[in-house]
């Protein structure tokens, strides 16, 4: 997976067709508001070789992100991305990748005038690797519970 610093402009696939696809979630229904036209920014595009903010996540944040993996999925890909920390730890073990968390989509979270674009594995990064997403992203995620 490609590394993007938090809160930088999302540029992975921003052509018109991708914007339309992002508005139509995969396997679920996210917030009914249409977020086309809002700026999209990156959150949680981590790499094993880059430092990231750490903290103790709230159970509500972890649970909401896990739910969003089912309800806010977009940008489905044809392959999988494995957690870089878990894959490295399991490297060399027979069948290790079967036990390694993997993702193949993104999630979108609508904030105040912005849409956060995150990898599907963000819930795992927060829960297992103590990734601390930016506060404004956390507020948007928790506000979506209401």
């Amino acid at each position: 997976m490609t590394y993007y610093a938090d809160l930088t402009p999302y540029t992975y696939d921003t052509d018109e067709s991708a914007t339309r696809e992002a508005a139509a979630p995969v396997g679920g229904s996210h917030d009914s508001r249409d977020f086309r036209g809002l700026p999209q920014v990156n959150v949680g595009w981590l790499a094993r070789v880059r430092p990231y903010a750490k903290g103790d996540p709230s159970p509500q944040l972890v649970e909401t992100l896990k739910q969003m993996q089912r309800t806010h999925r977009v940008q489905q890909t044809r392959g999988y991305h494995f957690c870089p920390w878990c894959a490295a730890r399991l490297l060399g073990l027979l069948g290790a990748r079967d036990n390694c968390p993997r993702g193949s989509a993104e999630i979108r979270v609508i904030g105040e005038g912005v849409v956060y674009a995150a990898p599907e594995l963000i819930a795992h990064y927060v829960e297992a690797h103590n990734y601390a997403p930016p506060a404004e992203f956390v507020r948007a995620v928790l506000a979506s519970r209401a």
Side-chain angles (χ1 to χ4, degrees):
M1 181 172 77
T2 303
Y3 168 82
Y4 298 104
D6 283 345
L7 305 178
T8 59
Y10 176 85
T11 58
Y12 179 70
D13 192 4
T14 55
D15 66 16
E16 185 64 27
S17 62
T19 302
R20 281 194 303 275
E21 181 181 332
V26 176
S29 172
H30 60 65
D31 191 326
S32 61
R33 292 180 289 177
D34 186 359
F35 56 75
R36 287 178 287 186
L38 290 175
Q40 295 184 49
V41 296
N42 298 303
V43 172
W45 297 92
L46 308 180
R48 208 166 67 91
V49 296
R50 302 264 189 157
Y52 60 91
K54 293 186 178 184
D56 292 325
S58 73
Q60 296 85 3
L61 175 62
V62 172
E63 186 55 38
T64 304
L65 286 172
K66 286 180 178 180
Q67 181 180 17
M68 286 180 165
Q69 288 176 310
R70 295 182 301 278
T71 60
H72 287 59
R73 292 180 80 220
V74 298
Q75 302 292 83
Q76 179 72 49
T77 63
R78 293 181 185 220
Y80 289 104
H81 167 74
F82 293 90
C83 170
W85 294 276
C86 294
R89 193 172 55 243
L90 297 172
L91 192 62
L93 300 177
L94 184 60
R97 287 199 155 188
D98 293 337
N99 297 323
C100 183
R102 62 187 181 185
S104 63
E106 300 174 10
I107 66 168
R108 293 292 186 277
V109 180
I110 299 172
E112 291 293 322
V114 69
V115 176
Y116 300 100
E120 181 179 25
L121 282 175
I122 192 166
H124 171 74
Y125 296 156
V126 169
E127 182 176 42
H129 303 292
N130 295 97
Y131 165 57
E136 52 267 55
F137 172 79
V138 173
R139 281 192 300 273
V141 168
L142 296 177
S144 75
R145 292 174 53 103

